[in-house]
Amino acid sequence: EAGVAQSPRYKIIEKRQSVAFWCNPISGHATLYWYQQILGQGPKLLIQFQNNGVVDDSQLPKDRFSAERLKGVDSTLKIQPAKLEDSAVYLCASSPWGLAGALNTGELFFGEGSRLTVL
Amino acid sequence: AQSVSQHNHHVILSEAASLELGCNYSYGGTVNLFWYVQYPGQHLQLLLKYFSGDPLVKGIKGFEAEFIKSKFSFNLRKPSVQWSDTAEYFCAVNAHAGKSTFGDGTTLTVKP
């Protein structure tokens, strides 16, 4: 079974520039998450989608961050304009949560992450 | 809101030593609990999970964790660590709607 795919793995930009990250979840997983992991901290949830609807985006800085999951499969996270404090690893995860008949334990399946450095 | 606290930021052990990593959470209702591990250069992956039944759960590579509801704790243990256990360990709580909250992680370094 293919895992969660993310790209790019690394990105270096200057502040005020824009960047986009892409995620393709495990096939059939209904729920997709974007987490931000700053060095020395645990992952912090930015946004949670179930199919193509937003479940929770309360921690997403909406003045600069946006995310979409148009067809309920892959997703894009965009930052515009970037700030120095956005330097972090952006993790995408998926789970079968919300899928009829799925055992909804909340287990997450993570991608490799996209490391962003803002100069 | 749910929160997770991991007591040790960095633990250094020699091979064959015993390991216990603390994890406490704050949430008054039913929770699912997880330990995830991130080996150097790899992605986060599940080590073990608890969602019901026996509060002592066993995971991969000889790890186990005990859920103590009265203490809001889910500590990770391994009787004898190996050099290959060097990694970062994250405790996570899932209380509702599939949303997981993570602790800040513990970096384990095992000296050969």
Side-chain angles (χ1 to χ4, degrees), chain A residues 26-86:
Chain A
I26 291 173
S27 177
H29 277 190
T31 300
L32 184 148
Y33 310 77
W34 283 102
Y35 280 85
Q36 179 192 58
Q37 186 177 14
I38 293 171
L39 188 65
Q41 300 181 18
K44 301 288 191 296
L45 180 68
L46 291 174
I47 189 167
Q48 176 185 348
F49 293 95
Q50 185 170 316
N51 297 312
N52 60 352
V54 175
V55 174
D56 185 349
D57 64 356
S58 58
Q59 299 303 307
L60 187 73
K62 299 181 188 63
D63 57 334
R64 298 183 301 106
F65 286 65
S66 64
E68 59 183 14
R69 191 185 185 200
L70 291 176
K71 296 182 180 179
V73 181
D74 57 349
S75 174
T76 303
L77 175 71
K78 296 179 181 177
I79 308 174
Q80 182 178 16
K83 291 186 174 181
L84 296 177
E85 59 260 36
D86 298 332

